[in-house]
Amino acid sequence: MRIAVLGAGAIGAYVGAALHRGGADVHLIARGAHLEALRRDGVRVLSPRGNFTAAARATDDPHEIGPVDYVFLGLKAHQYAGSGALIEPLLGPDTAVIAAQNGIPWWYFHGLSGPLRDHRIEAVDPGGAVSEVLPVRRAIGCVVYCSTEIESPGVIRHLEGTRFSIGEPSGAVSDRCRAFSDAMVAGGLKCPVEPNLRDDIWVKLMGNVAFNPLSALTRATMIEMCGHPGVRGLIAEMMRETVAIAGATGCHPSISIDRRIAGAARVGHHKTSTLQDLEAGKVLELEAIIGAVVEIATLTGVPAPTLRNVYAAVDLLARTVTGTPVPVA
């Protein structure tokens, strides 16, 4: 099995290292000092489950790799539309693309029963730009329950979690999903094939939709947000609105709001990926995490005043940081 990891950052390199350890033919696509370290020393994983090194091939040129069986996308969702030149050399007739992203995926309504079947969500597929690069027929969804960070170039610190739930947009338990799951398990990871991955998407999104934008606005860690009475109440309200929006699309997250907040508090003084990106001066991954949720609320007629207000504030923050023009009312 040939697998390319496009965006071999903290999560991508960790997955690539595990797949390589399990016997897959893995190719990592990275750049800069991180790429140099991967080429020289392989991926060095530091984990409470045991340290290991994986000497997977690494490059910054996907043409050196050619078509593969699977592309594991470790990019942020807002990078998908511009990644065509990197992805195209990796695609054969049957190549599947496993998108390990936060938030609402571009394929969300594909094949979903109801009046919004096959509807394109503008927030995550503007003008169809993502669908053009990543045709839905290639997509395998992936919800990541794993926390990692790049400790130094080529060195991945695994903090917690090993589950990567995957599933077809159609809900089918396909041979290609089973095969990829087997490869992940061989590498020491959990990879259940879920017939309704959308429920998993909303379970994780209940946290992301609240904690990620609020962390950017407050510069607070997970436990600080959960411990502040006023912010905790704001989080709970954002989660309630999110559960209502999920229900309007036929999905029902299998966790209570209190349990979801308690689980987040146990993470401790951890900065969300959005706060880390803000501090690093990077573009914020907001559209998939909250913009698309607000768009779905509009499509389904679900009131979501708290989500709309927080989205407006964090969108303005992101624009001021990056110098993006602010729309005139």
Side-chain angles (χ1 to χ4, degrees), residues 113 181 196 221 239-240 275 283 287 290:
S113 60
S181 174
N196 189 359
T221 64
M239 288 187 179
R240 277 191 286 271
L275 178 53
V283 175
E287 293 309 308
I290 187 168

Side-chain angles (χ1 to χ4, degrees), residues 21-140:
R21 180 172 62 172
D25 179 11
V26 176
H27 301 259
L28 307 175
I29 302 170
R31 60 186 180 181
H34 187 53
L35 171 60
E36 293 175 10
L38 294 174
R39 282 173 165 164
R40 183 181 63 247
D41 303 317
V43 185
R44 290 181 288 168
V45 175
L46 308 178
S47 171
R49 304 174 72 241
N51 302 340
F52 68 97
T53 299
R57 297 179 182 87
T59 182
D60 58 358
D61 183 3
H63 289 92
E64 294 180 0
I65 302 169
V68 295
D69 299 305
Y70 298 90
V71 176
F72 184 91
L73 276 184
L75 303 175
K76 295 291 182 73
H78 59 261
Q79 297 173 315
Y80 288 179
S83 63
L86 293 173
I87 292 175
E88 193 278 332
L90 305 172
L91 301 180
D94 299 315
T95 302
V97 177
I98 297 153
Q101 68 164 93
N102 285 323
I104 298 294
W106 79 100
W107 52 260
Y108 185 82
F109 284 114
H110 179 71
L112 192 64
S113 60
L116 292 173
R117 181 185 179 94
D118 297 334
H119 180 85
R120 179 175 57 79
I121 302 173
E122 185 68 21
V124 289
D125 191 9
V130 175
S131 295
E132 184 175 350
V133 172
L134 302 172
V136 173
R137 67 177 180 83
R138 295 189 184 274
I140 293 176

Side-chain angles (χ1 to χ4, degrees), residues 9-11 14 34 44-46 146-152 154-160 270-271 276:
I11 287 292
Y14 176 65
H34 187 53
R44 290 181 288 168
V45 175
L46 308 178
C146 173
S147 179
T148 59
E149 61 186 22
I150 298 178
E151 184 156 296
S152 60
V155 180
I156 305 301
R157 172 73 64 177
H158 171 230
L159 303 173
E160 62 175 357
H270 172 71
K271 295 180 180 180
Q276 292 179 48

Side-chain angles (χ1 to χ4, degrees), residues 149-199:
E149 61 186 22
I150 298 178
E151 184 156 296
S152 60
V155 180
I156 305 301
R157 172 73 64 177
H158 171 230
L159 303 173
E160 62 175 357
T162 60
R163 180 157 66 97
F164 294 77
S165 298
I166 63 172
E168 296 280 358
S170 68
V173 180
S174 64
D175 289 342
R176 66 181 187 174
C177 279
R178 289 194 189 97
F180 185 78
S181 174
D182 289 345
M184 293 280 276
V185 171
L189 303 178
K190 298 175 182 177
C191 190
V193 181
E194 301 289 354
N196 189 359
L197 190 69
R198 290 176 179 85
D199 281 350

